[in-house]
Amino acid sequence: GAGVSQTPSNKVTEKGKYVELRCDPISGHTALYWYRQSLGQGPEFLIYFQGTGAADDSGLPNDRFFAVRPEGSVSTLKIQRTERGDSAVYLCASSPETGYEAFFGQGTRLTVV
Amino acid sequence: GQQLNQSPQSMFIQEGEDVSMNCTSSSIFNTWLWYKQDPGEGPVLLIALYKAGELTSNGRLTAQFGITRKDSFLNISASIPSDVGIYFCAGSIIQGAQKLVFGQGTRLTINP
């Protein structure tokens, strides 16, 4: 596709459930980033991939959060045992390489009830 | 952790007016970026700054990378209704867009 695509656009889940959020980067982009944006705040860095490997996962809040990018393209952010505090918009971005401007997707709005 | 202080938090202006917003940090950043975000959308890059002192324009937008590398400003001239939205500054210690730290945003509202 022309831009970064994130699915689903909205996800409502019950506390304690497991969720997966998907990101399809721009074709050919090797760097991929995940950010989380709480209401009224700027995005906060979670993790970034260069190719298949996680180059920096220092922003993941705890071990309930995990992300993969097995083939160096699509990435999945996985959240176990969701808590109400995980409710936020999860943004994905990609860039041709690290060091270049990143383009953001429209985000997945996660609501934990 | 690192924080960017963005001001003002909100602005209410008349169409045609000029707008100025800024971002400051207690830490040095080597890249400053300015984004605009519309409701339900991801941030869209407006201007990227890579050198201290750099002044860059993009149409009616002008941004500067402060000499101390701890601040940046964004100016919008002759505002129009489509300028409405939330503007974010973002900084990166590493050159380029990698691990970005974002400000809290400036919400711009324009009265026609």
Side-chain angles (χ1 to χ4, degrees):
Chain A
V4 177
S5 176
Q6 292 187 246
T7 54
S9 53
N10 282 283
K11 176 71 176 177
V12 180
T13 191
E14 293 181 347
K15 179 175 177 291
K17 298 290 188 183
Y18 168 83
V19 296
E20 290 189 351
L21 311 179
R22 177 187 168 105
C23 173
D24 272 283
I26 293 172
S27 179
H29 281 194
T30 59
L32 184 147
Y33 315 85
W34 283 99
Y35 287 81
R36 178 169 72 173
Q37 187 173 24
S38 299
L39 191 62
Q41 302 294 318
E44 292 179 295
F45 171 83
L46 295 177
I47 184 172
Y48 95 86
F49 291 87
Q50 179 57 45
T52 60
D56 187 335
D57 64 357
S58 60
L60 295 177
N62 51 59
D63 61 7
R64 294 186 298 105
F65 288 75
F66 189 70
V68 296
R69 195 186 184 200
E71 297 178 358
S73 178
V74 170
S75 177
T76 304
L77 179 65
K78 307 180 181 193
I79 310 174
Q80 298 177 324
R81 304 183 303 280
T82 50
E83 300 176 357
R84 293 197 177 89
D86 298 335
S87 296
V89 174
Y90 289 80
L91 293 164
C92 177
S94 70
S95 65
E97 297 176 17
T98 54
Y100 287 76
E101 292 89 347
F103 297 87
F104 282 83
Q106 83 284 7
T108 293
R109 180 175 297 278
L110 176 66
T111 304
V112 182
V113 297
Chain B
Q2 296 162 329
Q3 286 187 323
L4 293 184
N5 297 309
Q6 189 170 346
S7 65
Q9 290 187 356
S10 59
M11 302 182 73
F12 298 85
I13 63 168
Q14 296 295 123
E15 184 178 349
E17 288 186 11
D18 296 344
V19 172
S20 184
M21 59 190 79
N22 64 35
C23 222
T24 59
S25 170
S26 57
S27 304
I28 287 174
F29 287 98
N30 290 309
T31 298
W32 283 91
L33 305 168
W34 285 92
Y35 288 87
K36 179 175 183 277
Q37 188 174 30
D38 293 327
E41 301 293 328
V44 174
L45 182 66
L46 299 174
I47 291 181
L49 302 157
Y50 297 109
K51 293 182 182 178
E54 179 180 359
L55 183 70
T56 297
S57 293
N58 179 8
R60 294 179 296 106
L61 278 61
T62 301
Q64 184 157 31
F65 189 149
I67 288 289
T68 64
R69 293 189 285 162
K70 292 184 177 181
D71 64 323
S72 177
F73 72 73
L74 175 70
N75 289 339
I76 305 173
S77 63
S79 58
I80 60 178
S82 62
D83 291 335
V84 166
I86 303 178
Y87 292 78
F88 289 99
C89 61
S92 174
I93 292 177
I94 302 170
Q95 197 76 14
Q98 293 174 328
K99 186 176 176 180
L100 295 176
V101 177
F102 280 81
Q104 311 96 312
T106 295
R107 180 181 294 275
L108 179 62
T109 302
I110 298 175
N111 299 316

